[in-house]
């Protein structure tokens, strides 16, 4: 969106004048966003956040949210979940192996301790 002077003005007429003076081409959507902020109906940060959300949903970057965008997003999320599940499974196996090894070491220590006690 082109930067336009007079952001936060109260008068619609003044808003139109600011758009004219700035000599920019404004789309319908840009005009609506500008006017909502200028009339204090919407905070500019909210507009920015909504634009960010839209860009995240528009996976193909074509300016539209399509079924294809949603498929891509779901596929990416599923890959992340699948990866996390594999890591979790691997971690469990490592911990099980580690605990088994620790248990064996403790058993050996106990056996050594008890055998040394018997020798005394």
């Amino acid at each position: 969106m082109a930067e336009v002077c007079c952001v936060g003005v109260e008068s619609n007429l003044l808003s139109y004048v600011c758009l004219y003076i700035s000599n920019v081409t404004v789309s319908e959507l840009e005009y609506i966003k500008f006017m909502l902020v200028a009339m204090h109906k919407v905070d500019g940060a909210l507009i920015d956040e909504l634009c960010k959300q839209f860009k995240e949903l528009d996976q193909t970057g074509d300016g539209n949210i399509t079924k294809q965008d949603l498929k891509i997003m779901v596929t990416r999320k599923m890959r992340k979940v699948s990866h996390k599940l594999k890591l979790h499974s691997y971690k469990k196996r490592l911990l099980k192996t580690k605990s088994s090894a620790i248990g064996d070491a403790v058993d050996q220590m106990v056996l050594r301790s008890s055998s040394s006690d018997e020798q005394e």
Side-chain angles (χ1 to χ4, degrees), residues 1 23 32 101:
M1 182 169 146
N23 196 26
I32 290 169

Side-chain angles (χ1 to χ4, degrees), residues 23-39:
N23 196 26
V24 296
T25 302
V26 178
S27 71
E28 180 180 10
L29 181 57
E30 289 172 328
Y31 172 76
I32 290 169
K33 288 192 283 187
F34 172 78
M35 290 305 297
L36 287 172
V37 172
M39 296 180 338

Side-chain angles (χ1 to χ4, degrees), residues 99-117:
S99 63
S100 181
I102 290 172
D104 292 344
V106 168
D107 289 344
Q108 289 176 1
M109 288 172 46
V110 168
L111 287 174
R112 283 188 210 142
S113 173
S114 64
S115 66
S116 66
D117 288 343

